[in-house]
Amino acid sequence: LFAVLSIFLVLLSTQMYRGTVSNADKTGAYRIRTSYIRSMTRSMDAADSVRIDTWTDDSGETISIVSFMENYDGDAYVTQIYAWDGSMWERFTEAIYEFDPEDGDRICDMDEMDVKLEDNLLTAKIMHQGEEQEVCVALRCPQTEMEDRDAE
């Protein structure tokens, strides 16, 4: 009887542990996706530094890209966050180079991301495994609307 109860207790504990680990992984990935976008946006917030771009691949699929512009020693650089190939990616390069999603570094799992910038509010809708998350970040520095920027 003792051996049967001991085995039952071990099996029950194993299932509880697996459930706890699975939930922790899911919660951690959830936090990474939202926190990453939020902290990158806040750290890169400067006048006219944030813009939303799109890129269309050969199959016609369009992805949204959050681009953060900055200058180092007179050269323009861009940091880009985007969803591609089932993951969130970050790409840092000189602004003169064309976008290629394969040039980025994988951050975490993420199926889709739709972003918009209106009235200094960056909103990112994230989809992963059927769950939708939304991140809203109010920018402190003024951002010129894209149409106004293009006219300059």
Side-chain angles (χ1 to χ4, degrees), residues 8-64:
F8 176 73
L9 184 60
V10 168
L11 291 174
L12 181 65
S13 298
T14 302
Q15 290 300 334
M16 289 176 60
Y17 176 75
R18 285 183 183 163
T20 302
V21 168
S22 174
N23 192 34
D25 287 345
K26 185 178 177 181
T27 302
Y30 180 92
R31 288 181 180 161
I32 287 172
R33 287 186 288 271
T34 56
S35 297
Y36 194 80
I37 293 170
R38 188 177 299 113
S39 51
M40 280 297 294
T41 303
R42 288 186 178 145
S43 69
M44 304 293 277
D45 188 1
D48 291 330
S49 66
V50 181
R51 71 175 196 223
I52 307 304
D53 297 314
T54 57
W55 178 78
T56 305
D57 66 11
D58 295 335
S59 69
E61 182 180 345
T62 300
I63 60 173
S64 295

Side-chain angles (χ1 to χ4, degrees), residues 29-128:
Y30 180 92
R31 288 181 180 161
I32 287 172
R33 287 186 288 271
T34 56
S35 297
Y36 194 80
I37 293 170
R38 188 177 299 113
S39 51
M40 280 297 294
T41 303
R42 288 186 178 145
S43 69
M44 304 293 277
D45 188 1
D48 291 330
S49 66
V50 181
R51 71 175 196 223
I52 307 304
D53 297 314
T54 57
W55 178 78
T56 305
D57 66 11
D58 295 335
S59 69
E61 182 180 345
T62 300
I63 60 173
S64 295
I65 306 163
V66 183
S67 297
F68 303 101
M69 307 301 294
E70 55 193 328
N71 287 307
Y72 292 113
D73 294 329
D75 294 323
Y77 288 85
V78 62
T79 301
Q80 297 168 311
I81 301 173
Y82 53 97
W84 178 70
D85 198 28
S87 298
M88 174 189 279
W89 296 77
E90 179 188 80
R91 177 179 180 261
F92 176 78
T93 186
E94 280 189 81
I96 60 172
Y97 297 112
E98 286 190 33
F99 179 78
D100 184 350
E102 294 179 359
D103 291 343
D105 295 314
R106 185 184 177 284
I107 305 299
C108 65
D109 294 339
M110 182 168 74
D111 295 331
E112 295 176 40
M113 180 176 70
D114 182 41
V115 290
K116 62 181 179 178
L117 178 60
E118 294 177 348
D119 299 325
N120 266 24
L121 181 67
L122 177 78
T123 304
K125 291 186 181 180
I126 301 166
M127 289 293 295
H128 184 66

